[in-house]
Amino acid sequence: MNRLHKYLDNITRTLFYYDFQPLLFFWVLSDVFNNMVLWSTHSMWVEQGQGNTYFLYLAYLILSLSMLIFLNNNKKLANIVTLYLCLNLFSTIRYLVNIFSQEVIVFEVIDYKNLFITLWYSTMWFWIAFKLKRECFFNTLNENCPK
Amino acid sequence: MNENYTTIIISVLTALFGAGGWKFYQSLIINKREKEKDKKSEQTIFRDDLILRVKKLETDKEECMASLMNISNKLASLETKVEFLEKDNKELLIRINYGK
């Protein structure tokens, strides 16, 4: 009970005093609520011939929840965000490959919008992962460096 | 299926390049830190050398002051002696002149 209290206290402090963590908290929470795993079933995706997409969303959900759980642990959070970024890059690349592997590539305004948003999200995740990893790296350097 | 392979290969390559880029960035930062550390140690050596030199100069200055005081004392006593001798000399000259 004491440990749980300490953990919740840590999370509250992190949300109040840290830079990226509050942003991640709100962003990831909305991501969790938007996750299709919560609002659909695997069979529904299989019917549409996209059974693997369900598992992609599941991976997103697991990583999002992990981020929320390890919000106060910078090292683990950085690793989870890096994994999330990899997943995001995978989705982005899959989307791009899908577009460019069509025989006739027709770009409409909606495609440009989708492409822009996908790349924008990738950039955002890249930036967050970079900042977190950089912070961890500098912390490690400062720990090893005698003052 | 072919599309899936393409996606996986491109993703793996991107991840590998990303990891490589990160390692490169880390090495840049570590090198920068090492250079700063070297510069700091050079500055520390220079500062320690300056402290030693100032200490030595202060000791020398104190020795010189002591010796100057000693010389001043001796000079003062010699001045007094010379004054008395000059006085005696004058008296002796006067006596010699009267004696003639």
Side-chain angles (χ1 to χ4, degrees):
Chain A
M1 201 63 190
N2 198 21
R3 281 179 73 180
L4 182 71
H5 184 260
K6 205 176 169 186
Y7 170 74
L8 289 175
D9 195 41
N10 253 340
I11 293 280
T12 319
R13 275 168 191 270
T14 310
L15 287 176
F16 268 111
Y17 301 114
Y18 282 57
D19 300 328
F20 270 91
Q21 283 76 355
L23 166 83
L24 273 177
F25 174 74
F26 288 109
W27 185 268
V28 168
L29 205 61
S30 81
D31 237 23
V32 169
F33 288 132
N34 270 327
N35 199 291
M36 288 309 286
V37 172
L38 299 179
W39 312 110
S40 61
T41 54
H42 183 231
S43 53
M44 194 193 97
W45 288 94
V46 174
E47 276 169 24
Q48 289 178 1
Q50 290 184 332
N52 289 334
T53 310
Y54 179 84
F55 293 110
L56 190 70
Y57 279 123
L58 187 66
Y60 271 125
L61 181 68
I62 290 166
L63 287 174
S64 301
L65 289 173
S66 308
M67 269 188 237
L68 288 177
I69 292 166
F70 293 110
L71 207 60
N72 62 325
N73 188 330
N74 247 9
K75 219 169 184 176
K76 280 183 184 162
L77 187 66
N79 288 336
I80 296 164
V81 170
T82 311
L83 281 177
Y84 195 99
L85 172 69
C86 288
L87 210 60
N88 194 278
L89 281 175
F90 176 77
S91 311
T92 310
I93 291 164
R94 197 170 80 149
Y95 177 61
L96 290 172
V97 170
N98 267 342
I99 289 175
F100 288 105
S101 60
Q102 284 166 6
E103 283 179 14
V104 185
I105 304 166
V106 183
F107 268 111
E108 288 179 13
V109 180
I110 197 89
D111 293 314
Y112 281 114
K113 186 212 84 175
N114 287 343
L115 201 62
F116 175 74
I117 288 173
T118 313
L119 290 173
W120 186 257
Y121 281 164
S122 297
T123 316
M124 186 192 85
W125 282 110
F126 170 76
W127 183 243
I128 293 172
F130 177 72
K131 290 287 274 185
L132 282 171
K133 279 191 92 67
R134 193 169 175 265
E135 198 179 320
C136 285
F137 176 58
F138 274 97
N139 281 344
T140 324
L141 274 184
N142 290 337
E143 273 168 22
N144 293 333
C145 176
K147 281 172 188 165
Chain B
M1 203 62 185
N2 198 18
E3 275 178 30
N4 281 344
Y5 280 129
T6 316
T7 309
I8 289 167
I9 289 166
I10 295 173
S11 301
V12 169
L13 282 177
T14 314
L16 285 177
F17 272 108
W22 173 248
K23 285 278 168 204
F24 178 67
Y25 176 74
Q26 274 185 322
S27 69
L28 279 184
I29 296 291
I30 288 170
N31 278 345
K32 203 177 161 190
R33 281 266 170 138
E34 290 293 321
K35 271 182 192 167
E36 273 173 15
K37 219 188 261 177
D38 284 348
K39 205 177 168 186
K40 231 177 198 175
S41 70
E42 269 174 27
Q43 280 174 348
T44 314
I45 290 167
F46 184 62
R47 191 195 61 198
D48 289 349
D49 186 48
L50 280 179
I51 288 170
L52 279 175
R53 285 176 69 185
V54 167
K55 221 177 201 175
K56 199 186 162 218
L57 286 172
E58 273 182 354
T59 320
D60 283 355
K61 194 194 87 181
E62 273 167 20
E63 277 173 14
C64 286
M65 284 296 284
S67 133
L68 190 67
M69 283 294 284
N70 198 18
I71 290 166
S72 300
N73 285 342
K74 278 182 183 171
L75 184 71
S77 78
L78 284 172
E79 266 180 359
T80 320
K81 267 183 190 174
V82 168
E83 258 177 44
F84 276 107
L85 285 172
E86 275 178 348
K87 213 176 176 184
D88 283 349
N89 202 21
K90 268 181 191 172
E91 276 178 17
L92 283 170
L93 273 174
I94 291 164
R95 273 184 203 175
I96 289 166
N97 285 338
Y98 276 113
K100 276 180 184 174

